[in-house]
Amino acid sequence: MTQDAPTEAGAGKKDGEPDKIDTENLFGFTEGTDVGKKGEQEVLVDIIGRFSKRRAGPGLSGYAAAQPIISYQYDLTDNFSIEPGLWFDARDSRNVAGVPDKSFGTFNGGSLELKYQFFKRTDQRPFSVALQVEPEYARITPVEGQGADVFSVETRLIADARLLPDKLWAGVNLVYDPQVSRLKGSGEVDRTSMLSVSGTLMAKVADNLFLGPEARYMRAYDGAFLNRFDGHAVFVGPVLHYQVMEKGFLTLAYSTQVFGHDRDPDFSDQVFNLNQFSRHNLRVRFGVEF
């Protein structure tokens, strides 16, 4: 949900009142704990782009994949929200190791995000915890862009805190994301899973502007239950959050892989893991509450 106008944060606040800043969309790839008041609604557009992978051979090479999501959020209670979403996929890849050459844009599937915030932040308790579960169905595999029936259930444990009143917030996520894919045509079944942790700090630098760093550590596994470790990667980058108006926001986040390791013997001596992950990630998210 969008936050109340940042200029009002902490103004006239009584002990025990919830924090005025809404952290749900304050961070970048890290999610915030907040859920709005009962009956509030929001429309969001969330675009995640992944760029640059390992070249397969001589000549020009390129990899770009974008996943736009259009979703509608409704707060059933002060602590529980639902958010159905429609997924799209656009990509262009050529001369990339393990990825077919192709260029297309298409409807990709849908998801249903369920989020429960256990308690609100207050002056006496300046932190909060939430659980978010998001079943997803997609028609395109996320890395190769192949036609498939892809089922996943991203489960996210979220914690955040107000470190300095009206000035500094922190967020941490622990994410488990199992995925089962059945390739169309061959019927081949692929089971994978991802385990990741992310953290961020966001400081208010102006009345409507927040800036901060973000870091993520991601581990890829073969098998839906973290069966066999395939590789890992570390991403870091900046986050910008701007309150466009009282009921709207814009969040921009960029992260680049600074370290990675792939267990595949063909790539185990490489500095980065560009098999399970891309080199650069970009997230653009904006929404309006009504």
Side-chain angles (χ1 to χ4, degrees), residues 21-212:
I21 294 296
D22 187 331
T23 62
E24 181 172 21
N25 299 297
L26 179 64
F27 309 128
F29 293 92
T30 304
E31 301 288 339
T33 63
D34 282 335
V35 173
K37 296 179 181 178
K38 179 180 179 179
E40 287 186 342
Q41 304 171 69
E42 190 174 55
V43 174
L44 300 104
V45 176
D46 190 359
I47 303 171
I48 297 178
R50 304 182 304 277
F51 308 94
S52 186
K53 292 180 73 68
R54 186 171 289 110
R55 185 167 53 187
L60 295 175
S61 173
Y63 178 86
Q67 187 178 69
I69 305 169
I70 300 174
S71 61
Y72 162 77
Q73 180 174 309
Y74 182 75
D75 298 313
L76 290 172
T77 73
D78 289 348
N79 294 83
F80 181 66
S81 68
I82 60 172
E83 185 178 326
L86 298 177
W87 293 48
F88 301 85
D89 193 284
R91 63 182 62 230
D92 181 28
S93 59
R94 60 188 184 279
N95 196 24
V96 173
V99 177
D101 291 353
K102 55 180 58 183
S103 179
F104 66 85
T106 186
F107 171 72
N108 192 23
S111 63
L112 179 63
E113 179 187 294
L114 307 171
K115 182 177 181 180
Y116 182 76
Q117 184 181 21
F118 293 96
F119 48 83
K120 303 288 186 180
R121 290 183 310 280
T122 65
D123 284 342
Q124 291 85 4
R125 185 176 55 206
F127 64 92
S128 184
V129 178
L131 180 65
Q132 181 174 295
V133 179
E134 186 173 10
E136 305 165 3
Y137 168 74
R139 301 169 53 248
I140 307 294
T141 57
V143 176
E144 301 84 1
Q146 294 178 289
D149 291 314
V150 185
F151 300 92
S152 62
V153 183
E154 182 185 276
T155 302
R156 189 179 292 255
L157 181 63
I158 308 169
D160 59 29
R162 184 186 67 248
L163 302 181
L164 295 174
D166 199 32
K167 292 183 179 180
L168 185 66
W169 290 259
V172 177
N173 287 183
L174 178 64
V175 186
Y176 168 56
D177 188 9
Q179 178 178 289
V180 178
S181 306
R182 178 183 290 274
L183 294 178
K184 293 178 180 177
S186 68
E188 179 184 350
V189 176
D190 183 34
R191 294 178 174 85
T192 61
S193 50
M194 195 81 67
L195 185 67
S196 63
V197 60
S198 67
T200 182
L201 289 171
M202 292 295 286
K204 187 168 76 169
V205 297
D207 283 348
N208 299 312
L209 183 65
F210 298 75
L211 292 173

Side-chain angles (χ1 to χ4, degrees), residues 54 228-232 259-276:
R54 186 171 289 110
R228 188 181 74 88
F229 174 66
D230 277 342
H232 60 170
F259 172 80
H261 177 72
D262 191 337
R263 285 197 59 187
D264 188 323
D266 293 335
F267 308 120
S268 59
D269 59 343
Q270 302 295 314
V271 177
F272 301 112
N273 182 346
L274 299 180
N275 189 8
Q276 289 89 24

